[in-house]
Amino acid sequence: MARIFEYFVVCGLGPEIRKLDGDKGYHGTTFLYMPSLLDQYPPLNHYPSPPPQLSTCVLPAGVQIYSSGFDPNDASSFPRSYPIVLTEGDGSKIYVSCIAFRDPVSEDIAEAYHIPANSFADKCICFVSHSPSFRVLRNALEELFSLCFSFSGSSRPLWDTIAHLVSNVPLPTPGKDRVLFAVENCLLSVEAPPKDGLPHADISFQPLMQCLDVDNLLKLFTAVLLERRILLRSDKYSLLTLVSEALCHLIYPFRWQHVYIPLLFFSGADYIDAPMPYMMGLHSGVDTSNLAMDGVVVVDLEYNRISTTEEIPPIPEPESSSLRGDILKLLYPNVVGIDHMSFHLATSSELYPKGVTKPWGEDHDLQLRLIFLKFFASILGGYRNFIENSGSLVFNNQAFLKKRSRSTNQPPEPMITQFLDSLGFLDFVERGFGSEENNHNLLDKLQDAIGRGQNPMSILPPSSVDPEIITISDSDSGLSGSGAKYTYDRFPSNVRTEEQEEKRKQILAVASGASEYSTKHIPSSPSGRVVKDSKADNLSPMERAAERDRMVLDIKVKLQGLWLRLLKLGATDDPLSSFEYGTILALIESDAEGIGGSGFVECIREHIHSGWHCQLTEEQFIAVKELLKTAISRATSRNDVSTIIDALEVSAEMFKKDANNVSDYIQRHLISLSIWEESRFWEGYFDHLTDRFSSQSANYSSLVTAQLIVMASHMDGLGLPDNDAWHMIEIIAEKYNVGYKQFIQIRGFLSHIQQVRIGYWGLSSFKAQSTLSHGLPSPRPKDAINEDQQPAEATGVGRSWVQSMFSRGPSTRNSFSRVRRWTSDSGSSAANDNETVKKLDLAAAGQKKLQTNVRILRGHSGAVTALHCVTRKEVWDLVGDREDAGFFISGSTDCSVKIWDPSLRGSELRATLKGHTRAIRAISSDRTKVVSGSDDQSVIVWDKQTSQLLEALKGHDAQVSCVRMLSGERVLTASHDGTVKMWDVRTDTCVATVGRCSSAVLCMEYDDSTGILAAGGRDAVANIWDIRAGRQMHKFLGHSKWIRSIRMDKDTVITGSDDWTARMWSVSQGLCDAVLACHAGPILSVEYSSSDKGIITGSSDGLLRFWENDEGGIKCVKNVTIHTSAILSISAGESWLGIGAADNSMSLFHRPQERLGGLSSSGSRMSGWQLYRTPQRNLAVVRCIASDLERKRICSGGRNGLLRLWEATINI
């Protein structure tokens, strides 16, 4: 029987006190401490157990210690009641009602840690449920709290009342039952609405409507639909949760598919930098000034403000006006209908009563939800006609958009275009057809009702007869004594078991420095000799089988006992010398049938399933790690794949906490085993996963994607190098014909979790042996390892958000059903150099790194936002190179432009140009002039020699994003107003508006020899114009999100987009030649290598990919993972390649001349690029980067206003 109260939990200051930064002990009342789970019902051995992060989430600020308790004159000491929502790995939600209050510190804890007497600490009591019955959870919890501290007392012990509620109050049947129960003398009830109506929302939508006006509400609603990164801020915990839940209900029938943390604990503020979409709530008192916040939609609920650095497209007409009007009618019926006649017209809407202003209630909540459902019914009118059922459900976006454009006489709206590509819409299409949920699809019912002219309320199930009353009586109430009353001066503790009490005493004894250590076990280990029993030869086959069964059972029983004793190793015990460790090791090693190894792993698995928390002490961690290594090695020698799989999975559950309180899993320490390099093992593991969970998913594509993500999480947990892991995943993905959308999702998942792991732990320092003598042969050649991969520096402070964002659980659902043909990355076909040459290359590269030279150029007082290198082509004349070739020109938010001469050490600043009134966004130059574009909507032309302002070109209606100096005293500019203009500097006039886009232009390329102009931006369209002919040649459609980077070389145009893909277009044919997928984030930079006919792409995932034309299309021939942040700049020359990333890391690649001639016609030219040098990285956030390949210089401009000039002086 399902229960509404699944757990009652108490969290607060536990016996092991730690500060939030991990320091043990009591450090005074000015610090905050880690909360612990103190008590629970059902008890600890109940399965499943409460979420492990529960204590941290219910007290998000941590535990504070006070000198006084409740004070009627101090509002900060009042108890607080608030709900929170947690999300499990399978996407299901856990609803928690909390009351936080000050409670006296336990005397034994105060004595052990020398906390002043009569101190108080934060404590939180909670009801945990899978039912979203917020009201009854809160009412029952508040009654318990009042009962505990009432002067009259209770008729029975408080924990007896708690046990009765948790054990006996059932979950009502939706639409049929109403459950009545009592807490002492207070009668409470709970019921659930019918399943065929709107989803159960036991909250009020009034807080959302009171915090935001209609305009901001619609803006936030749009951001949620388009799956942006959303951060809610408020100083009230309840408000954050209620608004988050309200938003999730307003987007029905769609579901929020991404990270969902309505109340984020204070120490997890770094989660805000997560690169994927999320909806989080954070207390307004937490400082986020040190976070980037780029692209985050910040919603201040206290002051009705929404801020973001990225544009949120508006809701299109006529739906926008209709939605806004309906909301205003609901909020202000008397104002909206003030001109209406007093009698009720037959054609009037029956949704809104006229002339009556009632307090907000459940009717308003229902009407608000129907208003938004009616909006979806309008904007998705006829959507069912565009769903193609060809093996998998595919929605025809282009056909739907064309149909809508014809009906509205407007081009496709960006808001709808982006919404159709959202994961929420794809999920809706997948689960809506051919499933039971389709029978309750209220969107379809509403569209049909509107088409027939019926009242929208008719789609809701009719009010049924009175529900059946189920009364939960407490037969023990009042019988615990003859009129006895139980009163408390603090919230009581539950009865502890002897084991719990002993563990508590040991922790406190260690804390007080008075621990008495028990006598150690004398280390002993059974002999490995096997004594042959002479009677064994006389046994019949049946007797042998029975004897073996008895032996197996005997070993398993012994292992169970030894395992439980191993988990009791104390802080002073040597784990590898203990009796328990030695005996288990002997059982694993001596048994030829592998019973010991498989039995040991099975023992751990059963313990985990019983509800064990999986946390180990340092001593236990060492012992378990070594035993698992031995068990896996023995299983490998016997080809016992089942035991290896079980060991892999349990190793991902067991962990210890390091000095920074970050979980260190045993799995990370198993990398030295060779089995992980065997692709056949991973193929077998994938088959095992799909067989295990095939019955849980009706969608084949979802099943394959989900299990590949599970497999990728284990590869990352082991610490497999990126190339090795991705190589094995690619083999399986191609075998099962995974679509490119799923391919990108899996690549993104693997890249993100590996970046976080490497950022904290660094790359694995021990490389596994090639193979064991008994291991499976690996089909992958050893020289396929990427020679450019280098160890990353450990940061010292890990960002563990990936542990809560991505679940290792097998039911993780990331379903994409639209399968298209795409240009695949057909493996990492790196250069086929032999291993010796690679080692020499690496050694030489490592030696050359010591010769690098980095200078810091100071002068700007604001962030550097634009950077340009003066190239030889710009300043070359008949005399030859001018002296300013190699100059760098920078622009900043301090409104100034500065010219730097790197040849003058110590006095690099050559000139400062002033004239703009806002930040500089773009810079270009020629032999005599410098031109700059700014947020002040102007373009200024300067004399390079005299630093004088020559012309101010004004005509754009928004910030200028791109500028380009052309021959003949002309300037080409692009702006966020969507226009591209050409100016004549001599006459200070706009010659022509050569191009118009439907949204902001972010990047531009121009070929002066052909007169062809290419531009892209927020409309996701690559526009091509022939300026000389005065016509637009093409509008390349294909990207679904912003185009960030564009390059053009003769007939080829390359574009990089936020949709995680780059595309190659042919100008002459007007077609897309290739789609370059497999990055795990927006592609911010693209480059075309003319000599190689190849492409280089860089993404926010920090990955560089080298692409090359092949007979079958274009393929990726090389991956480089030395950068850990977004690639901002790629500059390619004949023999040199400069790279710059957002974390201030740079790299220089070289292709030796002797190798250019040595490559065969069938060899890979793009894979010939080798890492030549990279300077030591320092901490800075970089906005822009420019490269001077002729002089081997790369310059970066940081948010701190500093330029970092790296000069790699080399002799060619």
PDB file of all heavy atoms in Angstrom, residues 582-607:
ATOM      1  N   GLY A 582      42.565 -10.029   5.330  1.00  0.00           N
ATOM      2  CA  GLY A 582      43.366 -11.192   4.937  1.00  0.00           C
ATOM      3  C   GLY A 582      42.511 -12.391   4.588  1.00  0.00           C
ATOM      4  O   GLY A 582      42.797 -13.127   3.628  1.00  0.00           O
ATOM      5  N   THR A 583      41.455 -12.622   5.341  1.00  0.00           N
ATOM      6  CA  THR A 583      40.595 -13.779   5.095  1.00  0.00           C
ATOM      7  C   THR A 583      39.827 -13.621   3.775  1.00  0.00           C
ATOM      8  O   THR A 583      39.736 -14.559   2.969  1.00  0.00           O
ATOM      9  CB  THR A 583      39.610 -13.964   6.253  1.00  0.00           C
ATOM     10  OG1 THR A 583      40.335 -14.022   7.480  1.00  0.00           O
ATOM     11  CG2 THR A 583      38.812 -15.248   6.081  1.00  0.00           C
ATOM     12  N   ILE A 584      39.257 -12.424   3.555  1.00  0.00           N
ATOM     13  CA  ILE A 584      38.525 -12.201   2.300  1.00  0.00           C
ATOM     14  C   ILE A 584      39.468 -12.333   1.112  1.00  0.00           C
ATOM     15  O   ILE A 584      39.121 -12.953   0.091  1.00  0.00           O
ATOM     16  CB  ILE A 584      37.860 -10.808   2.313  1.00  0.00           C
ATOM     17  CG1 ILE A 584      36.782 -10.740   3.390  1.00  0.00           C
ATOM     18  CG2 ILE A 584      37.243 -10.497   0.949  1.00  0.00           C
ATOM     19  CD1 ILE A 584      36.174  -9.352   3.548  1.00  0.00           C
ATOM     20  N   LEU A 585      40.676 -11.792   1.230  1.00  0.00           N
ATOM     21  CA  LEU A 585      41.641 -11.866   0.133  1.00  0.00           C
ATOM     22  C   LEU A 585      41.986 -13.318  -0.175  1.00  0.00           C
ATOM     23  O   LEU A 585      42.075 -13.711  -1.354  1.00  0.00           O
ATOM     24  CB  LEU A 585      42.901 -11.084   0.508  1.00  0.00           C
ATOM     25  CG  LEU A 585      44.004 -11.025  -0.552  1.00  0.00           C
ATOM     26  CD1 LEU A 585      43.495 -10.289  -1.792  1.00  0.00           C
ATOM     27  CD2 LEU A 585      45.244 -10.329  -0.002  1.00  0.00           C
ATOM     28  N   ALA A 586      42.164 -14.123   0.870  1.00  0.00           N
ATOM     29  CA  ALA A 586      42.491 -15.537   0.654  1.00  0.00           C
ATOM     30  C   ALA A 586      41.345 -16.268  -0.024  1.00  0.00           C
ATOM     31  O   ALA A 586      41.552 -17.110  -0.909  1.00  0.00           O
ATOM     32  CB  ALA A 586      42.823 -16.202   1.988  1.00  0.00           C
ATOM     33  N   LEU A 587      40.113 -15.946   0.359  1.00  0.00           N
ATOM     34  CA  LEU A 587      38.958 -16.596  -0.271  1.00  0.00           C
ATOM     35  C   LEU A 587      38.856 -16.230  -1.748  1.00  0.00           C
ATOM     36  O   LEU A 587      38.488 -17.061  -2.581  1.00  0.00           O
ATOM     37  CB  LEU A 587      37.677 -16.183   0.461  1.00  0.00           C
ATOM     38  CG  LEU A 587      37.484 -16.789   1.856  1.00  0.00           C
ATOM     39  CD1 LEU A 587      36.286 -16.153   2.550  1.00  0.00           C
ATOM     40  CD2 LEU A 587      37.298 -18.302   1.767  1.00  0.00           C
ATOM     41  N   ILE A 588      39.179 -14.991  -2.081  1.00  0.00           N
ATOM     42  CA  ILE A 588      39.114 -14.569  -3.479  1.00  0.00           C
ATOM     43  C   ILE A 588      40.202 -15.235  -4.301  1.00  0.00           C
ATOM     44  O   ILE A 588      39.973 -15.723  -5.410  1.00  0.00           O
ATOM     45  CB  ILE A 588      39.227 -13.032  -3.576  1.00  0.00           C
ATOM     46  CG1 ILE A 588      38.009 -12.360  -2.925  1.00  0.00           C
ATOM     47  CG2 ILE A 588      39.358 -12.584  -5.026  1.00  0.00           C
ATOM     48  CD1 ILE A 588      38.112 -10.837  -2.851  1.00  0.00           C
ATOM     49  N   GLU A 589      41.436 -15.280  -3.748  1.00  0.00           N
ATOM     50  CA  GLU A 589      42.572 -15.758  -4.525  1.00  0.00           C
ATOM     51  C   GLU A 589      42.651 -17.281  -4.613  1.00  0.00           C
ATOM     52  O   GLU A 589      43.099 -17.820  -5.627  1.00  0.00           O
ATOM     53  CB  GLU A 589      43.867 -15.227  -3.913  1.00  0.00           C
ATOM     54  CG  GLU A 589      44.043 -13.720  -4.110  1.00  0.00           C
ATOM     55  CD  GLU A 589      45.356 -13.234  -3.536  1.00  0.00           C
ATOM     56  OE1 GLU A 589      45.888 -13.909  -2.630  1.00  0.00           O
ATOM     57  OE2 GLU A 589      45.853 -12.191  -3.992  1.00  0.00           O
ATOM     58  N   SER A 590      42.204 -17.997  -3.585  1.00  0.00           N
ATOM     59  CA  SER A 590      42.442 -19.436  -3.529  1.00  0.00           C
ATOM     60  C   SER A 590      41.378 -20.254  -4.234  1.00  0.00           C
ATOM     61  O   SER A 590      41.619 -21.407  -4.559  1.00  0.00           O
ATOM     62  CB  SER A 590      42.530 -19.896  -2.066  1.00  0.00           C
ATOM     63  OG  SER A 590      41.281 -19.661  -1.407  1.00  0.00           O
ATOM     64  N   ASP A 591      40.225 -19.666  -4.492  1.00  0.00           N
ATOM     65  CA  ASP A 591      39.128 -20.442  -5.057  1.00  0.00           C
ATOM     66  C   ASP A 591      39.192 -20.398  -6.575  1.00  0.00           C
ATOM     67  O   ASP A 591      38.937 -19.368  -7.196  1.00  0.00           O
ATOM     68  CB  ASP A 591      37.792 -19.886  -4.563  1.00  0.00           C
ATOM     69  CG  ASP A 591      36.631 -20.783  -4.966  1.00  0.00           C
ATOM     70  OD1 ASP A 591      36.881 -21.877  -5.530  1.00  0.00           O
ATOM     71  OD2 ASP A 591      35.492 -20.383  -4.724  1.00  0.00           O
ATOM     72  N   ALA A 592      39.449 -21.551  -7.191  1.00  0.00           N
ATOM     73  CA  ALA A 592      39.603 -21.590  -8.639  1.00  0.00           C
ATOM     74  C   ALA A 592      38.295 -21.381  -9.372  1.00  0.00           C
ATOM     75  O   ALA A 592      38.278 -21.017 -10.540  1.00  0.00           O
ATOM     76  CB  ALA A 592      40.211 -22.937  -9.050  1.00  0.00           C
ATOM     77  N   GLU A 593      37.172 -21.658  -8.715  1.00  0.00           N
ATOM     78  CA  GLU A 593      35.878 -21.488  -9.362  1.00  0.00           C
ATOM     79  C   GLU A 593      35.391 -20.036  -9.312  1.00  0.00           C
ATOM     80  O   GLU A 593      34.321 -19.729  -9.805  1.00  0.00           O
ATOM     81  CB  GLU A 593      34.841 -22.401  -8.700  1.00  0.00           C
ATOM     82  CG  GLU A 593      35.120 -23.877  -8.877  1.00  0.00           C
ATOM     83  CD  GLU A 593      35.106 -24.276 -10.339  1.00  0.00           C
ATOM     84  OE1 GLU A 593      34.317 -23.700 -11.111  1.00  0.00           O
ATOM     85  OE2 GLU A 593      35.896 -25.153 -10.717  1.00  0.00           O
ATOM     86  N   GLY A 594      36.137 -19.172  -8.693  1.00  0.00           N
ATOM     87  CA  GLY A 594      35.746 -17.766  -8.655  1.00  0.00           C
ATOM     88  C   GLY A 594      34.608 -17.467  -7.713  1.00  0.00           C
ATOM     89  O   GLY A 594      33.994 -16.397  -7.771  1.00  0.00           O
ATOM     90  N   ILE A 595      34.262 -18.405  -6.833  1.00  0.00           N
ATOM     91  CA  ILE A 595      33.153 -18.182  -5.910  1.00  0.00           C
ATOM     92  C   ILE A 595      33.490 -17.051  -4.947  1.00  0.00           C
ATOM     93  O   ILE A 595      32.644 -16.237  -4.599  1.00  0.00           O
ATOM     94  CB  ILE A 595      32.831 -19.481  -5.138  1.00  0.00           C
ATOM     95  CG1 ILE A 595      32.435 -20.581  -6.123  1.00  0.00           C
ATOM     96  CG2 ILE A 595      31.724 -19.250  -4.125  1.00  0.00           C
ATOM     97  CD1 ILE A 595      32.298 -21.936  -5.491  1.00  0.00           C
ATOM     98  N   GLY A 596      34.755 -17.011  -4.532  1.00  0.00           N
ATOM     99  CA  GLY A 596      35.136 -15.972  -3.586  1.00  0.00           C
ATOM    100  C   GLY A 596      34.966 -14.583  -4.165  1.00  0.00           C
ATOM    101  O   GLY A 596      34.394 -13.702  -3.539  1.00  0.00           O
ATOM    102  N   GLY A 597      35.466 -14.367  -5.392  1.00  0.00           N
ATOM    103  CA  GLY A 597      35.352 -13.037  -5.994  1.00  0.00           C
ATOM    104  C   GLY A 597      33.926 -12.640  -6.288  1.00  0.00           C
ATOM    105  O   GLY A 597      33.475 -11.551  -5.934  1.00  0.00           O
ATOM    106  N   SER A 598      33.173 -13.542  -6.934  1.00  0.00           N
ATOM    107  CA  SER A 598      31.781 -13.224  -7.254  1.00  0.00           C
ATOM    108  C   SER A 598      30.950 -13.108  -5.991  1.00  0.00           C
ATOM    109  O   SER A 598      30.047 -12.258  -5.898  1.00  0.00           O
ATOM    110  CB  SER A 598      31.198 -14.289  -8.173  1.00  0.00           C
ATOM    111  OG  SER A 598      31.201 -15.562  -7.533  1.00  0.00           O
ATOM    112  N   GLY A 599      31.244 -13.957  -4.999  1.00  0.00           N
ATOM    113  CA  GLY A 599      30.496 -13.879  -3.743  1.00  0.00           C
ATOM    114  C   GLY A 599      30.756 -12.580  -3.011  1.00  0.00           C
ATOM    115  O   GLY A 599      29.842 -11.999  -2.403  1.00  0.00           O
ATOM    116  N   PHE A 600      32.012 -12.122  -3.032  1.00  0.00           N
ATOM    117  CA  PHE A 600      32.341 -10.859  -2.360  1.00  0.00           C
ATOM    118  C   PHE A 600      31.609  -9.690  -3.015  1.00  0.00           C
ATOM    119  O   PHE A 600      31.023  -8.852  -2.334  1.00  0.00           O
ATOM    120  CB  PHE A 600      33.856 -10.646  -2.422  1.00  0.00           C
ATOM    121  CG  PHE A 600      34.304  -9.325  -1.879  1.00  0.00           C
ATOM    122  CD1 PHE A 600      34.120  -8.987  -0.546  1.00  0.00           C
ATOM    123  CD2 PHE A 600      34.911  -8.385  -2.712  1.00  0.00           C
ATOM    124  CE1 PHE A 600      34.529  -7.764  -0.054  1.00  0.00           C
ATOM    125  CE2 PHE A 600      35.321  -7.164  -2.232  1.00  0.00           C
ATOM    126  CZ  PHE A 600      35.133  -6.851  -0.898  1.00  0.00           C
ATOM    127  N   VAL A 601      31.615  -9.653  -4.345  1.00  0.00           N
ATOM    128  CA  VAL A 601      30.925  -8.564  -5.050  1.00  0.00           C
ATOM    129  C   VAL A 601      29.424  -8.642  -4.807  1.00  0.00           C
ATOM    130  O   VAL A 601      28.751  -7.630  -4.600  1.00  0.00           O
ATOM    131  CB  VAL A 601      31.247  -8.620  -6.557  1.00  0.00           C
ATOM    132  CG1 VAL A 601      30.444  -7.573  -7.307  1.00  0.00           C
ATOM    133  CG2 VAL A 601      32.740  -8.414  -6.790  1.00  0.00           C
ATOM    134  N   GLU A 602      28.879  -9.878  -4.830  1.00  0.00           N
ATOM    135  CA  GLU A 602      27.449 -10.051  -4.579  1.00  0.00           C
ATOM    136  C   GLU A 602      27.088  -9.612  -3.164  1.00  0.00           C
ATOM    137  O   GLU A 602      26.026  -9.023  -2.927  1.00  0.00           O
ATOM    138  CB  GLU A 602      27.067 -11.516  -4.787  1.00  0.00           C
ATOM    139  CG  GLU A 602      25.584 -11.790  -4.601  1.00  0.00           C
ATOM    140  CD  GLU A 602      25.250 -13.257  -4.788  1.00  0.00           C
ATOM    141  OE1 GLU A 602      26.123 -14.003  -5.298  1.00  0.00           O
ATOM    142  OE2 GLU A 602      24.134 -13.651  -4.427  1.00  0.00           O
ATOM    143  N   CYS A 603      27.970  -9.863  -2.220  1.00  0.00           N
ATOM    144  CA  CYS A 603      27.755  -9.441  -0.832  1.00  0.00           C
ATOM    145  C   CYS A 603      27.634  -7.915  -0.738  1.00  0.00           C
ATOM    146  O   CYS A 603      26.759  -7.388  -0.048  1.00  0.00           O
ATOM    147  CB  CYS A 603      28.909  -9.959   0.022  1.00  0.00           C
ATOM    148  SG  CYS A 603      28.855  -9.415   1.724  1.00  0.00           S
ATOM    149  N   ILE A 604      28.509  -7.206  -1.438  1.00  0.00           N
ATOM    150  CA  ILE A 604      28.457  -5.742  -1.428  1.00  0.00           C
ATOM    151  C   ILE A 604      27.165  -5.256  -2.077  1.00  0.00           C
ATOM    152  O   ILE A 604      26.493  -4.343  -1.565  1.00  0.00           O
ATOM    153  CB  ILE A 604      29.673  -5.165  -2.174  1.00  0.00           C
ATOM    154  CG1 ILE A 604      30.979  -5.573  -1.489  1.00  0.00           C
ATOM    155  CG2 ILE A 604      29.586  -3.640  -2.233  1.00  0.00           C
ATOM    156  CD1 ILE A 604      32.232  -5.122  -2.229  1.00  0.00           C
ATOM    157  N   ARG A 605      26.802  -5.867  -3.201  1.00  0.00           N
ATOM    158  CA  ARG A 605      25.582  -5.442  -3.903  1.00  0.00           C
ATOM    159  C   ARG A 605      24.349  -5.607  -3.005  1.00  0.00           C
ATOM    160  O   ARG A 605      23.488  -4.726  -2.949  1.00  0.00           O
ATOM    161  CB  ARG A 605      25.424  -6.245  -5.184  1.00  0.00           C
ATOM    162  CG  ARG A 605      24.154  -5.917  -5.956  1.00  0.00           C
ATOM    163  CD  ARG A 605      24.059  -6.722  -7.233  1.00  0.00           C
ATOM    164  NE  ARG A 605      25.013  -6.256  -8.228  1.00  0.00           N
ATOM    165  CZ  ARG A 605      24.789  -5.200  -9.013  1.00  0.00           C
ATOM    166  NH1 ARG A 605      23.663  -4.518  -8.893  1.00  0.00           N
ATOM    167  NH2 ARG A 605      25.683  -4.820  -9.889  1.00  0.00           N
ATOM    168  N   GLU A 606      24.241  -6.723  -2.319  1.00  0.00           N
ATOM    169  CA  GLU A 606      23.093  -6.945  -1.440  1.00  0.00           C
ATOM    170  C   GLU A 606      23.068  -5.928  -0.302  1.00  0.00           C
ATOM    171  O   GLU A 606      22.005  -5.458   0.102  1.00  0.00           O
ATOM    172  CB  GLU A 606      23.136  -8.367  -0.886  1.00  0.00           C
ATOM    173  CG  GLU A 606      22.862  -9.436  -1.944  1.00  0.00           C
ATOM    174  CD  GLU A 606      22.981 -10.839  -1.379  1.00  0.00           C
ATOM    175  OE1 GLU A 606      23.347 -10.958  -0.184  1.00  0.00           O
ATOM    176  OE2 GLU A 606      22.723 -11.811  -2.123  1.00  0.00           O
ATOM    177  N   HIS A 607      24.238  -5.599   0.207  1.00  0.00           N
ATOM    178  CA  HIS A 607      24.297  -4.607   1.291  1.00  0.00           C
ATOM    179  C   HIS A 607      23.838  -3.235   0.792  1.00  0.00           C
ATOM    180  O   HIS A 607      23.144  -2.502   1.500  1.00  0.00           O
ATOM    181  CB  HIS A 607      25.723  -4.528   1.827  1.00  0.00           C
ATOM    182  CG  HIS A 607      25.806  -3.852   3.164  1.00  0.00           C
ATOM    183  ND1 HIS A 607      27.002  -3.421   3.705  1.00  0.00           N
ATOM    184  CD2 HIS A 607      24.863  -3.508   4.060  1.00  0.00           C
ATOM    185  CE1 HIS A 607      26.779  -2.860   4.867  1.00  0.00           C
ATOM    186  NE2 HIS A 607      25.490  -2.899   5.109  1.00  0.00           N
TER     187      HIS A 607
END
